[in-house]
Amino acid sequence: MIEIKELHKSYKMGANSLHVLKGLNFSIKEGELVAIMGSSGSGKSTLLNILGMLDEADTGDYTLDGVPIKNLNETKAAKYRNKFLGFIFQSFNLINYKSAMENVALPLYYQKVPRKQREEKALKYLTQVGLKEWAEHLPNELSGGQKQRVAIARAMAAEPKVLLADEPTGALDSKTSYEVMDLIQNINDQGNTILVVTHEEDIAQMCKRIVHLKDGVIVEDKKVEQVRAAQYVQ
Amino acid sequence: MFSRDNWKEIFETIQKNKLRTFLSGFTVALGILIFVVLFGFGNGLINTFDDFFSDDATNVFMVFTGRTTMPYKGYKANRTIEFDNSDIQDIEKNFPLFLEYISPRIIRQDTVAYKNESNSYSTWAVGPSHQFSQMTIMMKGRYLNVMDIENKTKNAVIGRLVEQDLFGAKNSIGKYIDVGGSSYKVIGVFQDDGGDREERNIFIPYTTQQLIEKNTDKVDAMVIGFKPSIGYAGAMAFEKSLDKFIREKKYINPQDQNGIFIRNVADQLKQNQQFARVLQIIVAFVAFGTIIAGIIGISNIMVFVVKERTKELGIRKALGATPKTVISTILLESVFITTISGFVGMLIGIAILGSMGEKLEDFFITNPYIDLPMAIFATIVLIIFGAIAGYVPARRAANIKPIVALRDE
Ligand SMILES: Nc1ncnc2c1ncn2[C@@H]1O[C@H](COP(=O)(O)OP(=O)(O)OP(=O)(O)O)[C@@H](O)[C@H]1O
Ligand SMILES: [Mg+2]
C-alpha cells in the first residue's frame, strides 16, 4: 500500500539546513496498523506529512497504492488526498463554524457527492463514532475526545485507503485515548491501513507494528502483539 | 463550478461568518453609497447652475447703470447714470437692424397680500416683450400687453408659487392682491424653468410702477433682445455700438469701466457652459476617487479575509479541495457579498438623492440625481475590481502548501 525508498527531507532556515529525514525505507501493506514512535523532533510528523502529501520530500521515492507520488501539482495532490487519504490531527482541525455533521461531510463535498447522500453518510459515520446525537453541534460545544471522534468520522467518511493520524490521542486523557484507539482498531479491523504517530508506549502497543525513528533514521521496526483497547473501555 | 451545491456551501459560509460578511458588505455598500450621493450632488450643483443661467433666452443683453469713475467732457467723476424712457425709444430708433425687442426693468421687493396670506416677493416692472427674455411660460390668463403699458393698468402677472402661497389651491385669476400698498388684479399665472426663485416673482407694467414712484420716467435697467439671425459676430458688433451709443448719450468716458454695464447673456452662457463642464470633470474625478478608495478597501478586506481563513483553507485542502476550488469559493463568496451589498448601497444612495429634492438648495444643490446606468456601471466596476483584487490573495492562499496553512494559528 505504502512504499518509501531513501526518503530525505531537510528544512532550510536561512543559511542553515536541518536534515530531518535521512534516507527512510519501509513498506506498509494493506490492512496494517502501524505506530510511528520516536522522541520529539525525530521527524515523525515530517514523515507523516510527506506520506499525506501535505508536504514534499526532497529526494527518494514514494509509492501509494501503486501510484508514484512525485512532482505533483497542488490540484493532483488535492485529488489524491481526497481519494486515498484521511487525516486525524492532534489538534483536531475541525472547521469551527460548521456543525459536526457538516465537518464530516466536507471531504464528500470535494468528492462531488450529492448533498443528501453526503448527509446520510456523515450521519452514518458519526453514529459509528457514537456521536449521532451531537451531529448538529458546533466543535466548540464538544469535548476534546468528542472532537477527535468527529475528526475520525471525517477521515473515514471519504473512505480512504490510508488513514494518517498524527498524535490522535495527544490532547486527550488516557480513558478518552483508549476510546479513540478502540475506534481506530475497529476501523483497522474493517481492513483499512492506518498509521499512528504517538509518543505513548501503551498507544503504540495497541497497533500491530511499531516503527521507531531516531534522528531521522529508522532504528527499529517490529511487529507487536496487539493490545485491544476495548478491554479498557466499558 | 456554479452548481447549486456550491452556492449552498457559499451561503452557509456567508451566514456563519457574519462579521466578515458585514465588513466586506459594509465597505462596498458605503463606497457605492458615497459614490452615488457624491455624483448626485455633483449633478445637483450642475442643475443649480443651469437654473441660474440657462433658462432664459440667450439672445439678450442686459444694460445696467452705475457710477462713473472718470471725468468726461466737463462732467465730473462719481456721477450716477440713470436710464429713462427716452433711452428706450432712442435705442429702438437707432438699432432697427439688430433689435428684436427692448423692455425696461425696475425690480422692487414688496410685501404682497391676499386676504390673510402675505409674503415678500420681487415685483418686476417690465414691458410686454420682457416675456421673451426670460422664456416665461403662461399657465393661465395672459402676460402684460401694450394696453397695460399705455393705460398704466394695475394688472399683475404672478408666478406659480406666488399663487400657491397666497391662494393655495384656489384660482387667482381676476382676484385682487395688495402689492406694496396698491391693489392689483391678477391677470395671469406663469411658470418658469428657472426654478422656485423665478416662480416667486410678480410682473407689473413698468408705466404703472413709474406712476406710483411719483410719476418718474426713470428705469433701472434695460433688457434688449437682438435678432438671432445676426449671429454671434453680429451680437458682438451690436454690443459694441450699443455701448458707444449709450456712452455718447450719457457723456461717459469710453475708458470708464463703471458708468454702464452690458451683460451679454450669450457670451456668459458660453463661459458658464465651460464652467459647468469643469464642474462635471471635478465631480467625475471625485467620484472616480471614491470608487478607487472602495476598491482599495475591498482589497484590504480580501487580504484580511484570506489571512483569517488560512488555517480553514489548509484543512479544506487536506480534505481534498483543489486550488481552483479554493479560489472559486473565495471569489464567489466575495462577489456574492459585493454584488448584494453594492446594489443595496446603490439603492440607498439613490433613495437618499431622491429624498433630497430641493432641501439642499441653500448649498447650491438642486434635485440631485444619478442616471441609473451610471450607478449600475459604477457598482459593476466595483464588483469586478473587487473580484480582481480578491483574486490575488485567493490565489496566494490556494498555492500555500497545506502543511504551512495548517500550521497557521
Ligand atoms: N516547517 C519547519 N521549518 C523548520 N524546521 C522544522 C519545520 N517543521 C519541523 N521542523 C524541525 O524538524 C524536526 C522534526 O520535526 P517533526 O515535527 O517532524 O518532529 P516530531 O517527531 O513530530 O516531533 P514531536 O514529537 O514534537 O511532534 C524538528 O527539529 C523541528 O524543529
Ligand atoms: Mg509531531
Side-chain angles (χ1 to χ4, degrees):
Chain A
M1 179 61 55
I2 288 175
E3 193 148 348
I4 55 173
K5 281 203 192 97
E6 281 305 305
L7 207 68
H8 284 269
K9 174 78 180 176
S10 355
Y11 289 113
K12 278 153 208 72
M13 287 173 298
N16 295 9
S17 161
L18 184 68
H19 204 172
V20 180
L21 301 182
K22 302 168 180 167
L24 301 188
N25 297 287
F26 65 67
S27 70
I28 295 171
K29 283 192 274 302
E30 195 169 347
E32 280 201 83
L33 174 54
V34 183
I36 298 171
M37 294 200 70
S39 55
S40 192
S42 57
K44 304 182 295 290
S45 296
T46 305
L47 171 62
L48 206 72
N49 291 335
I50 291 171
L51 295 179
M53 288 181 255
L54 298 173
D55 204 352
E56 263 180 301
D58 298 336
T59 59
D61 298 325
Y62 168 29
T63 317
L64 175 63
D65 198 31
V67 182
I69 305 300
K70 191 133 211 181
N71 298 329
L72 293 183
N73 62 31
E74 251 310 312
T75 309
K76 265 239 162 80
K79 292 207 165 119
Y80 284 165
R81 277 197 295 269
N82 190 247
K83 204 163 121 198
F84 291 131
L85 302 164
F87 294 93
I88 302 163
F89 302 94
Q90 178 175 359
S91 55
F92 322 126
N93 281 340
L94 299 174
I95 292 176
N96 55 22
Y97 63 81
K98 284 180 175 289
S99 71
M101 180 157 78
E102 288 163 347
N103 264 288
V104 176
L106 198 56
L108 299 169
Y109 170 73
Y110 291 118
Q111 285 181 354
K112 306 206 164 31
V113 175
R115 188 175 198 84
K116 229 180 139 80
Q117 261 169 278
R118 259 184 359 237
E119 285 175 358
E120 278 166 18
K121 238 179 182 174
L123 210 58
K124 177 181 133 197
Y125 283 100
L126 273 178
T127 313
Q128 265 194 34
V129 299
L131 288 178
K132 194 182 173 191
E133 282 75 52
W134 297 84
E136 299 304 326
H137 288 248
L138 291 178
N140 59 14
E141 296 161 352
L142 304 174
S143 72
Q146 286 172 326
K147 277 187 216 173
Q148 196 59 298
R149 274 146 64 190
V150 172
I152 291 170
R154 183 178 66 184
M156 287 160 59
E159 287 161 359
K161 300 216 152 81
V162 177
L163 226 76
L164 301 170
D166 194 351
E167 307 199 33
T169 61
L172 308 175
D173 64 21
S174 55
K175 181 177 165 289
T176 325
S177 296
Y178 295 145
E179 285 170 12
V180 166
M181 279 315 288
D182 183 35
L183 263 175
I184 288 177
Q185 285 179 342
N186 289 339
I187 297 164
N188 178 243
D189 292 343
Q190 291 161 26
N192 293 295
T193 315
I194 304 177
L195 270 79
V196 179
V197 166
T198 183
H199 269 121
E200 293 147 276
E201 190 58 43
D202 53 344
I203 298 295
Q205 293 298 331
M206 292 174 177
C207 299
K208 296 171 173 168
R209 174 180 166 190
I210 299 177
V211 174
H212 239 249
L213 276 186
K214 193 176 177 193
D215 296 334
V217 291
I218 297 173
V219 291
E220 194 184 28
D221 186 344
K222 60 172 185 196
K223 292 249 155 59
V224 291
E225 194 59 45
Q226 189 184 37
V227 178
R228 296 300 295 192
Q231 59 189 295
Y232 301 105
V233 186
Q234 60 286 66
Chain B
M1 183 170 142
F2 290 99
S3 74
R4 237 184 69 186
D5 214 27
N6 285 351
W7 282 112
K8 240 174 181 161
E9 171 76 13
I10 287 162
F11 287 147
E12 276 171 21
T13 311
I14 288 172
Q15 251 169 32
K16 289 175 181 172
N17 293 277
K18 297 227 165 63
L19 179 68
R20 191 161 83 206
T21 307
F22 172 77
L23 269 182
S24 37
F26 186 73
T27 310
V28 171
L30 194 68
I32 286 291
L33 191 140
I34 291 175
F35 170 83
V36 168
V37 170
L38 266 185
F39 202 90
F41 279 9
N43 280 336
L45 271 179
I46 293 168
N47 272 347
T48 311
F49 205 82
D50 286 351
D51 282 357
F52 275 167
F53 297 109
S54 57
D55 68 296
D56 298 344
T58 56
N59 60 326
V60 172
F61 294 152
M62 311 270 197
V63 191
F64 303 98
T65 57
R67 259 165 197 274
T68 58
T69 52
M70 292 178 182
Y72 188 63
K73 288 191 172 167
Y75 288 90
K76 286 190 189 129
N78 209 18
R79 180 165 53 98
T80 304
I81 304 295
E82 284 180 313
F83 294 143
D84 55 46
N85 293 346
S86 77
D87 296 324
I88 308 273
Q89 280 140 29
D90 284 349
I91 290 171
E92 253 177 339
K93 223 179 293 157
N94 279 280
F95 296 97
L97 284 179
F98 297 108
L99 197 78
E100 193 164 76
Y101 57 80
I102 180 165
S103 165
R105 181 150 116 186
I106 306 163
I107 300 181
R108 298 283 180 268
Q109 196 70 26
D110 282 309
T111 302
V112 179
Y114 174 73
K115 290 190 175 157
N116 294 327
E117 300 293 336
S118 87
N119 214 332
S120 176
Y121 299 103
S122 289
T123 40
W124 295 39
V126 298
S129 54
H130 191 271
Q131 184 179 6
F132 309 123
S133 72
Q134 280 200 320
M135 303 220 229
T136 307
I137 304 154
M138 294 311 295
M139 293 170 70
K140 36 185 182 181
R142 62 169 178 87
Y143 202 72
L144 303 171
N145 62 21
V146 186
M147 299 307 288
D148 290 317
I149 304 301
E150 262 178 27
N151 300 334
K152 304 179 184 177
T153 58
K154 287 199 161 185
N155 285 345
V157 177
I158 64 175
R160 181 178 64 89
L161 294 175
V162 176
E163 184 186 44
Q164 203 175 70
D165 291 348
L166 298 181
F167 293 87
K170 278 188 247 112
N171 191 355
S172 60
I173 301 288
K175 305 272 162 40
Y176 287 86
I177 53 174
D178 184 285
V179 179
S182 340
S183 181
Y184 285 77
K185 183 173 159 190
V186 177
I187 56 162
V189 179
F190 70 90
Q191 63 182 49
D192 195 303
D193 290 340
D196 291 3
R197 210 169 33 92
E198 297 201 358
E199 293 187 336
R200 288 214 156 83
N201 291 340
I202 294 173
F203 294 112
I204 56 172
Y206 74 93
T207 46
T208 314
Q209 182 72 20
Q210 286 176 331
L211 184 68
I212 288 168
E213 292 181 0
K214 298 182 188 130
N215 206 8
T216 174
D217 67 345
K218 300 274 180 277
V219 298
D220 287 358
M222 294 184 287
V223 179
I224 298 171
F226 58 83
K227 292 181 175 147
S229 56
I230 65 174
Y232 187 70
M236 289 301 141
F238 180 29
E239 182 183 344
K240 215 169 188 170
S241 40
L242 185 67
D243 186 70
K244 192 158 166 262
F245 175 81
I246 299 172
R247 280 172 196 274
E248 266 168 17
K249 189 175 175 204
K250 301 282 177 192
Y251 307 106
I252 305 167
N253 190 321
Q255 314 302 329
D256 196 335
Q257 296 288 315
N258 284 317
I260 56 156
F261 307 91
I262 300 181
R263 205 172 89 198
N264 181 340
V265 174
D267 205 28
Q268 233 186 3
L269 189 76
K270 218 172 185 175
Q271 286 174 20
N272 290 339
Q273 278 169 342
Q274 262 162 3
F275 185 67
R277 220 165 293 144
V278 171
L279 210 63
Q280 226 148 4
I281 291 170
I282 292 172
V283 165
F285 193 75
V286 171
F288 183 66
T290 322
I291 290 294
I292 298 275
I295 291 171
I296 293 172
I298 187 70
S299 325
N300 278 335
I301 288 176
M302 286 310 290
V303 170
F304 161 78
V305 161
V306 170
K307 190 135 191 57
E308 187 218 29
R309 293 182 76 175
T310 303
K311 177 147 191 171
E312 180 201 328
L313 296 175
I315 297 171
R316 283 173 181 271
K317 289 171 88 176
L319 298 179
T322 59
K324 216 178 97 193
T325 332
V326 169
I327 294 175
S328 70
T329 310
I330 294 177
L331 283 191
L332 285 184
E333 196 189 306
S334 94
V335 167
F336 181 78
I337 295 173
T338 48
T339 305
I340 298 283
S341 49
F343 279 97
V344 167
M346 185 188 96
L347 292 178
I348 294 176
I350 289 176
I352 289 177
L353 289 183
S355 70
M356 285 298 169
E358 297 179 350
K359 283 181 203 149
L360 290 178
E361 228 166 28
D362 288 351
F363 305 100
F364 302 106
I365 294 169
T366 320
N367 291 324
Y369 74 99
I370 184 166
D371 330 88
L372 198 59
M374 184 59 180
I376 292 176
F377 173 73
T379 310
I380 290 174
V381 164
L382 190 54
I383 292 166
I384 290 175
F385 278 90
I388 293 173
Y391 178 75
V392 178
R395 204 191 55 183
R396 197 184 313 129
N399 288 332
I400 301 179
K401 275 205 253 174
I403 187 64
V404 177
L406 279 171
R407 221 179 276 135
D408 188 82
E409 272 314 323

